[in-house]
Amino acid sequence: MSLLAKAPEGRVAQLLDATMKRPDFSWLRAPEVGSTMVRGRAGATGASFNLGEITVTRCALKLSDGTIGHAYVQGRRKADAEAAALVDALMQTDLEPSIQQAVLDPLNTEHAAHKKTRAQKAAATKVEFFTMVRGED
Amino acid sequence: MYVAVKGGEAAIENAHAWLAEERRGDKSVAELSVAQIREQLALAVNRVMAEGSLYDPDLAALAIKQARGDLIEAIFLIRAYRTTLPRFGVSEPIDTGAMDCDRRISATFKDLPGGQVLGPTFDYTHRLLDFKLAADGEVPAAPVRDTSPAPVPHVAEFLNDEGLMEEAPHDDTPPPDLTREPLEMPADRALRLQALTRSDEGFTLGLAYSTQRGYARNHAFVGELRIGAVPVEMDIPELGFSVEIGEITVTECETVNQFQGSKTEPPQFTRGYGLVFGQTERKAISMALVDRALRWQELGEDFVGAPAQDAEFVLYHADNIQATGFLEHIKLPHYVDFQSELELVRKLRREAMQNTMQEAAE
């Protein structure tokens, strides 16, 4: 669910639709946009405090065989929430291995690659200190 | 006092139509897209998210476009939108120790685990206008260097080992929330931190600067400043466990301050804390300095009458939407108010004139 929540806009739907025709489903909770209050901790480890909110879209649906899928995705993205809930439901069916391979694995790879690139750019700005030796001999 | 005034509908409508036209500007110049603002004016977007208290870069970019670049107006739009959102829940406190750091520096330790990582900073630039940006030029890709994930522990942890650093013990008491309950004094630290993280950058910067210049001086070093992405995790009731529902970029600043000790505390270093949405370094440092100044009471320091020590003064004036709302309302029609003032002044003048004339006659 974390990969689905953080995936770029439209990406989950793209991967899902490339692998299969969407199954029939009914809404348990139609997609709705709301917020989550994010907390931090004073001094990083101390008492918690309210930092501010993020936008979140959530929904829940039921496949015709009764499997329930939930989604919470960051931002205001109803179509993405729908695709994410479908993937969540399908992951509990016999299609699990193919969904894992066609949707979640690519999301994981892409997310890791994005993180790696940023980490590599950060690493290039890491300071190497030189000790200046006074030449007095 | 407000009195309902009718009239002016046509004038208002036409004013708004003209505003829309002026917002667009010269039509021979290409229109800005929301995505362009989000990507290329990212620090303005970050400020609007931080002070609007809602992390959503697309919305903040839209607000900046609508507000013609007036960031306080944009923050106002975001605050107003935020109130329309149902709240699904609260997150687990974010773990900044596990941040993917774009930037991480310490002014107190040169060699520290994880190193000094400058990140995409304005520091060490010459602050000379770059006319190459006026012509549209290609940007070369930033250099990369191979790296493997390694822990980047907080600086405060090193000094903790010696007992030289004031500790920040874990506490999961649900914090007060000023978006639900009005801000009231005395405000505990959790409430102060919430107010400061959404406070006006300029106001907070000014107060922080005042502490450096000697008003409630507490001699701050930037123990650590880090900027990067952290996951946001929330407990999902229908699932019965918590999942990551997103990822946000935050700036965290921890100051290390001299402390002589008090009746209750031994001499040690104390800490001020700043945590702000987005890449918002000036604000996070300012927040940490003001947080530290406001802690005088719990640390047993003297109240020296400095503005930055006065929680009521700081917290009741730090919110730019409250401030601008009250400030700007005085330009709206006060005809009846003013009419009564006018009557009063005329009456006082009449009486004063009569008295003078009477005295002259006697």
Side-chain angles (χ1 to χ4, degrees):
Chain A
M1 281 184 87
S2 112
L3 281 172
L4 297 168
K6 295 185 291 195
E9 186 151 9
R11 187 65 181 137
V12 177
Q14 200 181 28
L15 291 168
L16 176 66
D17 293 334
T19 180
M20 66 181 292
K21 186 178 166 296
R22 292 195 185 193
D24 291 335
F25 67 88
S26 54
W27 289 118
L28 295 174
R29 179 195 277 146
E32 59 173 335
V33 175
S35 75
T36 287
M37 175 56 91
V38 179
R39 287 188 176 156
R41 288 188 183 281
T45 55
S48 65
F49 68 97
N50 291 307
L51 178 64
E53 287 163 87
I54 59 170
T55 49
V56 178
T57 308
R58 71 175 174 187
C59 68
L61 49 76
K62 190 158 76 170
L63 301 183
S64 44
D65 70 356
T67 314
I68 292 173
H70 292 283
Y72 278 77
V73 301
Q74 184 174 10
R76 295 155 301 117
R77 302 186 293 152
K78 290 184 176 178
D80 285 347
E82 178 183 327
L86 276 174
V87 171
D88 182 54
L90 290 167
M91 282 297 287
Q92 301 164 60
T93 67
D94 299 343
L95 292 168
E96 189 246 312
S98 62
I99 294 292
Q100 175 73 41
Q101 197 192 356
V103 180
L104 295 179
D105 288 348
L107 286 179
N108 198 16
T109 312
E110 288 161 14
H111 187 66
H114 173 76
K115 273 194 182 310
K116 190 174 172 202
T117 313
R118 281 199 89 83
Q120 285 177 330
K121 286 178 189 168
T125 69
K126 195 179 212 169
V127 180
E128 305 290 350
F129 290 101
F130 300 99
T131 307
M132 308 297 274
V133 181
R134 288 170 60 177
E136 285 175 348
D137 50 3
Chain B
M1 188 180 120
Y2 299 105
V3 174
V5 184
K6 279 199 147 203
E9 287 92 341
I12 291 170
E13 233 167 73
N14 294 345
H16 292 169
W18 194 18
L19 167 67
E21 191 184 283
E22 290 281 306
R23 175 190 295 124
R24 174 62 184 85
D26 182 349
K27 282 188 185 154
S28 67
V29 177
E31 188 183 348
L32 262 180
S33 73
V34 169
Q36 284 172 333
I37 296 171
R38 185 192 64 218
E39 297 300 316
Q40 297 174 38
L41 296 178
L43 299 192
V45 167
N46 286 342
R47 181 172 173 191
V48 170
M49 294 197 299
E51 294 173 32
S53 207
L54 184 68
Y55 194 102
D56 188 316
D58 291 296
L59 278 181
L62 173 64
I64 290 168
K65 179 172 178 172
Q66 187 177 335
R68 306 179 66 194
D70 178 340
L71 296 190
I72 291 185
E73 182 70 20
I75 291 160
F76 201 159
L77 294 169
I78 292 298
R79 290 271 185 96
Y81 177 83
R82 190 204 65 80
T83 61
T84 67
L85 294 173
R87 188 179 290 177
F88 295 158
V90 298
S91 82
E92 304 288 328
I94 54 173
D95 179 6
T96 52
M99 180 187 288
D100 292 323
C101 295
D102 286 349
R103 172 164 168 81
R104 189 282 196 116
I105 53 169
S106 169
T108 52
F109 295 99
K110 182 165 71 73
D111 298 303
L112 69 175
Q116 307 265 359
V117 177
L118 300 181
T121 179
F122 292 126
D123 294 353
Y124 314 110
T125 62
H126 294 105
R127 266 75 184 212
L128 297 173
L129 276 176
D130 180 0
F131 290 98
K132 284 202 301 288
L133 289 173
D136 49 354
E138 289 291 306
V139 182
V144 295
R145 194 168 77 186
D146 266 338
T147 179
S148 49
V152 185
H154 276 111
V155 166
E157 287 172 26
F158 318 147
L159 285 177
N160 264 354
D161 295 344
E162 279 184 77
L164 293 177
M165 180 70 90
E166 172 209 0
E167 292 201 28
H170 235 56
D171 180 357
D172 282 322
T173 316
D177 183 355
L178 61 79
T179 67
R180 294 299 162 100
E181 302 287 334
L183 179 61
E184 274 178 17
M185 299 297 145
D188 66 8
R189 192 175 180 203
L191 194 58
R192 297 196 305 256
L193 289 172
Q194 185 184 13
L196 288 175
T197 191
R198 71 211 296 262
S199 67
D200 184 72
E201 179 173 313
F203 181 81
T204 316
L205 169 65
L207 280 174
Y209 181 43
S210 76
T211 70
Q212 291 185 294
R213 289 194 63 252
Y215 295 85
R217 182 178 208 79
N218 51 43
H219 210 277
F221 294 100
V222 171
E224 179 166 8
L225 179 76
R226 53 170 72 193
I227 303 175
V230 289
V232 177
E233 221 176 277
M234 182 169 74
D235 199 40
I236 309 292
E238 50 271 41
L239 294 176
F241 53 89
S242 76
V243 295
E244 280 181 25
I245 55 166
E247 191 174 67
I248 58 175
T249 296
V250 294
T251 302
E252 180 185 55
C253 174
E254 187 130 49
T255 57
V256 177
N257 303 65
Q258 255 177 21
F259 183 59
Q260 309 296 330
S262 68
K263 287 183 196 115
T264 50
E265 302 290 334
Q268 60 182 344
F269 292 107
T270 55
R271 302 154 71 172
Y273 189 66
L275 183 67
V276 185
F277 278 159
Q279 182 177 343
T280 42
E281 167 169 323
R282 185 185 302 116
K283 169 69 179 288
I285 301 171
S286 302
M287 176 177 170
L289 263 59
V290 176
D291 169 51
R292 176 60 185 79
L294 288 172
R295 298 183 62 214
W296 63 274
Q297 208 158 17
E298 66 185 278
L299 293 170
E301 292 174 332
D302 291 331
F303 178 74
V304 297
Q309 285 183 308
D310 184 340
E312 193 166 321
F313 178 81
V314 173
L315 302 183
Y316 281 153
H317 300 108
D319 190 291
N320 52 23
I321 300 311
Q322 276 172 7
T324 204
F326 198 68
L327 182 113
E328 294 200 47
H329 102 278
I330 63 172
K331 74 192 172 184
L332 300 176
H334 279 67
Y335 305 137
V336 176
D337 265 5
F338 188 67
Q339 197 67 39
S340 68
E341 298 268 313
L342 202 60
E343 289 297 318
L344 183 65
V345 173
R346 280 187 182 133
K347 186 167 161 251
L348 291 172
R349 275 178 70 101
R350 240 184 347 257
E351 285 170 6
M353 297 270 274
Q354 273 166 1
N355 288 344
T356 332
M357 275 157 61
Q358 225 159 31
E359 276 165 27
E362 281 163 9

